[in-house]
Amino acid sequence: MLRYIGKRIIEMIPILFIVTVLVFLFTHLIPGDPARLVAGKDATLEEVNNVRAQMGLDQPIWKQYFTYMGSLFQGDLGTSLKTGLPVSAMFIDRFMPSIYLTLFSMGWALVIGLLIGTISAVFKNKWPDYLGMVTAVSGISLPGFWLGLILIQIFSVQLGWLPTGGSEGWKSYVLPSITLGAGIMSMLARFTRSSLLDTLKADFIRTGRAKGLKESVIIPKHALRNSLISVVTIAGLQFGFLLGGSVVVETVFSFPGMGRLLIDSISFRDYPVIQAELLLFSVEFILVNLVVDILYSLLNPKIRYVS
């Protein structure tokens, strides 16, 4: 397993190289001139050209890329064109709140989603199944911004229990995590139900029942465990998306996360911040996929990876 993990990490290098090329070209294809934004709308053409030269944007695109890669190899993500701060320093303030919000959202969504999906599969076509699926469909159907505003109105404005936004204290994470996790919980519930129903039809389940095993043993020990592979795949993808931040939810709750930072950076054509964020998201997705592959082998020991 360790050799397989080492091989996967080595394989990340060419992938990340391709990502840097695509990200660099993408950011420089965004319409707009950051030099004009930095110089100000009243600046003359000469002043704009001077700012462009100071920022290195007057150089050929290939030369700018090699300069960017040279700094990247030295661990320098660049300096924000908008704030003048190092990008790494800006990430420190934004990254941890996004991590906490992702963990809170995924935590409750995973527990409740698995519980609803399991109950719905066990009590198929009975009232617990109908109730669970109505809850799941409702969670998927509700737009995030609408659910967030409703939660703010009830728990912040009317009851005064929770803050309307920010990231100070655990209470600030409750409403955004509920809003973010609602859709994921619903998706996991539906996948768990579908996967568990397929597993319950398998021969080894019928064999277990023929041997007299109780349902309380068959469901959690044999059926649910074998059903979790597809659920882990979906959970891993959603975890990767959440790590990138949610623009809508972060905007509704004035949450200082990575999603809002990316939107602000795109609005200002802040190339260093955009490039660093997209590269970070790519690394996160690759690492999440690696963790998901490792979880496959833990859930099903028959799965072995050849290094």
Side-chain angles (χ1 to χ4, degrees):
M1 177 58 77
L2 291 178
R3 292 181 63 186
Y4 172 76
I5 295 174
K7 181 182 177 184
R8 286 287 301 271
I9 292 175
I10 293 174
E11 289 176 350
M12 288 173 57
I13 297 174
I15 296 174
L16 290 177
F17 173 72
I18 295 173
V19 168
T20 60
V21 174
L22 295 177
V23 166
F24 190 84
L25 292 176
F26 166 75
T27 53
H28 285 73
L29 287 175
I30 298 175
D33 185 359
R36 166 60 69 181
L37 294 174
V38 172
K41 61 181 180 180
D42 296 327
T44 63
L45 180 60
E46 184 180 1
E47 291 172 334
V48 173
N49 288 333
N50 290 335
V51 171
R52 185 176 293 111
Q54 293 172 4
M55 298 164 66
L57 297 177
D58 59 337
Q59 300 294 322
I61 191 74
W62 62 268
K63 194 171 183 178
Q64 293 183 46
Y65 174 74
F66 282 112
T67 303
Y68 162 67
M69 289 300 293
S71 301
L72 197 60
F73 279 125
Q74 298 175 26
D76 182 8
L77 297 176
T79 303
S80 169
L81 303 180
K82 180 180 180 181
T83 64
L85 297 173
V87 176
S88 54
M90 296 174 66
F91 276 14
I92 291 174
D93 294 335
R94 301 289 189 124
F95 188 65
M96 291 315 297
S98 289
I99 288 289
Y100 294 144
L101 181 59
T102 299
L103 292 177
F104 289 146
S105 303
M106 281 302 300
W108 82 264
L110 197 58
V111 172
I112 303 299
L114 285 176
L115 188 62
I116 291 177
T118 303
I119 292 175
S120 296
V122 172
F123 297 97
K124 181 185 176 185
N125 294 331
K126 296 180 180 177
W127 71 265
D129 182 23
Y130 298 139
L131 180 61
M133 289 304 98
V134 167
T135 304
V137 172
S138 301
I140 292 178
S141 305
L142 295 177
F145 72 91
W146 184 84
L147 179 60
L149 292 175
I150 292 297
L151 291 175
I152 288 175
Q153 179 64 29
I154 295 174
F155 294 101
S156 300
V157 178
Q158 298 294 332
L159 299 176
W161 290 352
L162 298 167
T164 57
S167 62
E168 296 179 359
W170 64 271
K171 288 185 178 180
S172 303
Y173 290 85
V174 175
L175 297 184
S177 64
I178 292 174
T179 307
L180 268 182
I184 299 171
M185 177 273 293
S186 305
M187 196 180 303
L188 292 176
R190 291 178 64 83
F191 268 91
T192 302
R193 178 183 183 275
S194 175
S195 181
L196 189 54
L197 286 175
D198 289 339
T199 306
L200 288 173
K201 298 175 185 174
D203 291 340
F204 71 93
I205 297 295
R206 283 197 292 269
T207 302
R209 284 171 173 161
K211 288 182 177 179
L213 289 178
K214 296 180 179 178
E215 290 295 305
S216 58
V217 176
I218 290 177
I219 298 298
K221 189 174 180 179
H222 300 286
L224 184 59
R225 182 171 181 175
N226 283 278
S227 306
L228 286 180
I229 290 182
S230 59
V231 178
V232 166
T233 304
I234 299 299
L237 287 174
Q238 295 301 318
F239 190 78
F241 282 120
L242 287 185
L243 282 175
S246 173
V247 176
V248 174
V249 173
E250 289 181 5
T251 302
V252 169
F253 290 97
S254 300
F255 190 85
M258 298 295 284
R260 283 189 66 193
L261 178 61
L262 179 61
I263 293 302
D264 293 342
S265 304
I266 292 175
S267 301
F268 197 80
R269 312 300 187 269
D270 199 343
Y271 292 162
V273 179
I274 299 171
Q275 290 167 179
E277 277 216 63
L278 295 180
L279 185 60
L280 177 64
F281 295 162
S282 302
V283 173
E284 290 172 351
F285 260 104
I286 293 172
L287 292 178
V288 167
N289 281 327
L290 176 59
V291 172
V292 168
D293 287 344
I294 295 172
L295 288 176
Y296 285 165
S297 65
L298 295 178
L299 292 172
N300 188 350
K302 292 181 179 179
I303 298 178
R304 289 287 181 269
Y305 296 109
V306 179
S307 61

